[in-house]
Amino acid sequence: MKASKSAVLAGLIGTVFAVSAPLPAAADTPQRGGTLRVLDYLAWICLAPSAGGTYANSVISNSILERLVYQDPKTAQLSPWLAESWKSNEDATRFTFVLRKNVTFSDGTALTASVIKSNLDQIALGNADQAIPRWTMVADYDRTEVDSPTQVTVYFKKPNVSFPQQLSMPQAGIIAESSLKLPYQEQCQGKNLVTTGPFVFASERPGKEITYKRRDQYNWAPPALKHQGPAYLDGFVHTIATEGSVRVGTLLAGQADAARGILPTDEPLVKRSSRHHLEAISSNVANVLTVNSSTPTLQDVQVRRALNLATDRAELKKALLSDSYALATSVLGRNNPGWADQSARLAYDPKAAAALLDEAGWKLGPDGYRYKNGVKLTIPTYISAHHITSQGGFELLSEQWKRVGIDLRLHKSDTATYSKVQRDGKLNAFFQTSQIRFDIDALRFTWDSTVGNQANKEIPELNDLVRKQNQTTDLKARKQIAAQVQNYVLENGLAIPLYEDALVYGVANYVKGIGHEAQGRPYFLTAWLAKK
């Protein structure tokens, strides 16, 4: 197989065994049958590929939507999936993909080059008539041409080095022509998504529970998984339980088989159970507060720099987190190929923070808070509902920053309110996010003003850097640029890295073989249930 420079065969995830004899055989031999009952804390909104950027949606759609390329969650290496091979030209402006043969959608139609072209056009360009948004991560897309029934070539106006990795993500999930023709709101509904995946829609209670059943004709898993044929499970049920106590209680009572979002305070309950265990799955990303520099009190870089110095991450971990989480050392996760150690910049130094605030003209008042020209140093923010540690984390930050005279004003919100206020600097100073890319190009996803735009303004120097790394084919040079980006972001106080994200599951001991993609989303193709 000839692949792009960054694509090599990846290794096996977890322990997965092929079935070749009647079951059961041995304790670690997969058994067929049974329905996996999974609890989650955030309700899904939309299962269309274009909505795959949020975990609430993609922890479900990851088991449904297949992609052209597979990424190993430990090594970041790329290998075949629906594409059996690919190659690029020297400057990464042209990529040719050869498709696997005999792949079909659940409606019986074939996976062809024409269908792939239609998918890539919709992913990269969107469709205004169908209200389908363009995936801004795919920059400088020109066109896709069908070379033969099993081959396409994708053209870009400028180099796009990370394009194969982009195709490994849920937003690049492949759907049938019948689904591609639907408007966005209809694509969002699981019943309307026709895919090549190992499970098909069975039933739904919107926002509460959704059920999928095995597709018996499935037989084209990524070779890296060493799995042949359909899933072992009869299906899976995904149920929403917003309260942490309900999730852990339901799990321990035997009314669920796995639960995502086990709170750090509830982890000991799972550990003490002889019938359950914890699985902390790395997302390979840092959990970061990006700074809205349009917030009036944060327009001064000295104030923004002071925030990192006033943040005691060790106290944050001791008070709120567990051993499932590591402290952040940069705006990228330490497993990211472009990670550069910035831990020295993130050392807790309240004296240095106070000195910066003094230099910026913010003087301590008798109430312990700082003032400048009669204005109190108040920073408003809304608490994200997407992270189970958000409320406790912000409450502790409020205490820490008060020690240097900063008034962090907290507001609770639901997901709808949060989306409305997120970019309003007068109301919300921070966006809690994780760069959901296991690639150097996560930096462009976050900081390019035409993509993530987490600084909430155009910064030409930063734009140039994050775009340059994705247009540079030499890996060593890309890493050097990535280090420059991380230096720039922290030097200018544009982000406050907190900890490395993990998806913490409580799992019954009879549940085996759940896999995870590079950002920790589960897939159930290889999962199976042992006899209780």
Side-chain angles (χ1 to χ4, degrees):
M1 179 190 76
K2 185 177 181 182
S4 63
K5 300 180 181 70
S6 60
V8 296
L9 284 175
L12 176 65
I13 298 179
T15 305
V16 181
F17 298 85
V19 176
S20 58
L23 297 175
D28 56 359
T29 300
Q31 302 175 29
R32 293 194 180 278
T35 297
L36 182 70
R37 303 166 297 171
V38 183
L39 300 179
D40 209 308
Y41 63 96
L42 279 179
W44 69 99
I45 302 298
C46 176
L47 299 180
S50 52
T54 68
Y55 280 98
N57 297 326
S58 56
V59 291
I60 301 172
S61 64
N62 189 59
S63 286
I64 312 305
L65 296 170
E66 299 200 298
R67 281 83 84 182
L68 289 173
V69 175
Y70 174 82
Q71 184 176 30
D72 188 283
K74 293 182 179 179
T75 66
Q77 293 177 336
L78 305 176
S79 63
W81 194 343
L82 294 181
E84 67 178 24
S85 66
W86 63 92
K87 61 183 179 181
S88 66
N89 64 348
E90 287 299 317
D91 65 356
T93 58
R94 186 175 70 248
F95 297 83
T96 297
F97 295 86
V98 177
L99 305 182
R100 291 181 68 164
K101 300 176 179 63
N102 302 317
V103 176
T104 61
F105 293 93
S106 59
D107 63 358
T109 59
L111 178 74
T112 65
S114 177
V115 176
I116 294 298
K117 169 182 165 51
S118 297
N119 272 271
L120 293 178
D121 284 345
Q122 191 165 104
I123 290 166
L125 302 174
N127 188 302
D129 292 338
Q130 295 171 244
I132 295 172
R134 171 177 84 87
W135 190 26
T136 55
M137 178 51 60
V138 183
D140 302 307
Y141 179 80
D142 185 7
R143 68 192 188 279
T144 296
E145 292 186 357
V146 174
D147 304 326
S148 75
T150 58
Q151 180 175 300
V152 298
T153 298
V154 186
Y155 296 84
F156 290 89
K157 300 171 185 176
K158 295 180 181 179
N160 186 355
V161 172
S162 69
F163 182 58
Q165 191 277 334
Q166 294 164 23
L167 294 182
S168 73
M169 299 178 67
Q171 295 95 318
I174 301 300
I175 56 179
E177 286 281 7
S178 58
S179 296
L180 286 168
K181 295 175 182 178
L182 297 175
Y184 177 73
Q185 288 302 327
E186 292 186 36
Q187 280 193 17
C188 284
Q189 300 175 45
K191 65 181 181 181
N192 294 329
L193 277 185
V194 179
T195 76
T196 62
F199 297 96
V200 294
F201 176 85
S203 64
E204 178 181 17
R205 290 188 293 140
K208 296 181 180 179
E209 187 172 276
I210 191 166
T211 303
Y212 282 84
K213 61 182 180 180
R214 179 181 61 234
R215 184 183 174 198
D216 291 332
Q217 299 80 17
Y218 181 84
N219 192 27
W220 40 84
L225 296 186
K226 309 296 186 189
H227 176 94
Q228 298 297 314
Y232 301 122
L233 297 170
D234 292 333
F236 67 91
V237 180
H238 188 92
T239 304
I240 303 304
T242 57
E243 296 295 327
S245 59
V246 173
R247 288 193 301 280
V248 73
T250 303
L251 174 72
L252 297 180
Q255 296 172 346
D257 306 311
R260 182 174 83 101
I262 298 297
L263 297 172
T265 52
D266 288 337
E267 288 186 22
L269 297 175
V270 179
K271 289 181 177 179
R272 286 198 294 266
S273 170
S274 61
R275 297 179 293 111
H276 300 83
H277 62 277
L278 283 175
E279 291 187 10
I281 310 303
S282 173
S283 299
N284 292 312
V285 295
N287 191 289
V288 176
L289 299 183
T290 55
V291 179
N292 191 334
S293 52
S294 67
T295 299
T297 50
L298 293 179
Q299 293 178 5
D300 189 328
V301 67
Q302 298 284 74
V303 178
R304 299 199 301 270
R305 286 175 182 162
L307 297 179
N308 265 317
L309 293 168
T311 300
D312 187 345
R313 293 164 181 81
E315 183 184 31
L316 178 72
K317 178 168 181 175
K318 183 177 180 181
L320 294 172
L321 301 176
S322 68
D323 291 340
S324 299
Y325 304 84
L327 294 183
T329 53
S330 182
V331 295
L332 290 180
R334 70 190 69 205
N335 292 330
N336 190 293
W339 172 79
D341 189 358
Q342 301 286 319
S343 53
R345 292 182 182 273
L346 305 181
Y348 179 52
D349 192 342
K351 290 184 178 179
L356 285 175
L357 295 173
D358 285 337
E359 291 175 19
W362 293 95
K363 304 302 181 182
L364 277 174
D367 60 354
Y369 290 107
R370 292 180 179 269
Y371 293 83
K372 183 178 181 179
N373 300 324
V375 176
K376 189 177 184 181
L377 182 48
T378 296
I379 302 174
T381 195
Y382 277 73
I383 300 172
S384 169
H386 290 278
H387 305 269
I388 60 175
T389 60
S390 290
Q391 181 163 332
F394 270 114
E395 289 172 351
L396 182 54
L397 285 176
S398 179
E399 294 178 14
Q400 292 179 354
W401 294 355
K402 184 178 180 180
R403 298 168 195 166
V404 298
I406 296 171
D407 175 26
L408 180 60
R409 196 71 55 85
L410 303 178
H411 304 277
K412 294 183 179 180
S413 66
D414 55 23
T415 53
T417 302
Y418 192 71
S419 65
K420 292 178 182 178
V421 303
Q422 177 184 325
R423 294 194 179 277
D424 188 338
K426 294 180 180 179
L427 299 175
N428 187 54
F430 306 108
F431 177 51
Q432 188 170 7
T433 185
S434 304
Q435 302 84 4
I436 47 174
R437 293 282 306 280
F438 194 23
D439 188 87
I440 297 173
D441 200 41
L443 295 167
R444 183 172 61 90
F445 179 83
T446 307
W447 300 109
D448 190 323
S449 62
T450 64
V451 188
N453 191 24
Q454 292 304 317
N456 207 32
K457 67 177 182 179
E458 183 175 359
I459 305 175
E461 183 177 356
L462 189 54
N463 277 346
D464 289 345
L465 283 172
V466 296
R467 294 169 187 171
K468 185 178 179 182
Q469 62 76 28
N470 194 44
Q471 296 171 2
T472 301
T473 57
D474 181 80
L475 180 58
K476 182 178 180 180
R478 281 190 81 198
K479 290 183 176 182
Q480 291 172 343
I481 298 168
Q484 288 180 289
V485 173
Q486 291 162 83
N487 286 332
Y488 186 97
V489 167
L490 293 178
E491 178 67 21
N492 287 274
L494 298 176
I496 305 167
L498 298 176
Y499 57 87
E500 299 224 351
D501 253 331
L503 279 70
V504 181
Y505 282 82
V507 184
N509 291 339
Y510 55 79
V511 178
K512 312 289 184 179
I514 295 178
H516 301 87
E517 53 81 69
Q519 282 78 50
R521 303 173 181 92
Y523 58 82
F524 302 130
L525 169 66
T526 56
W528 56 280
L529 304 178
K531 286 189 175 181
K532 301 180 185 179

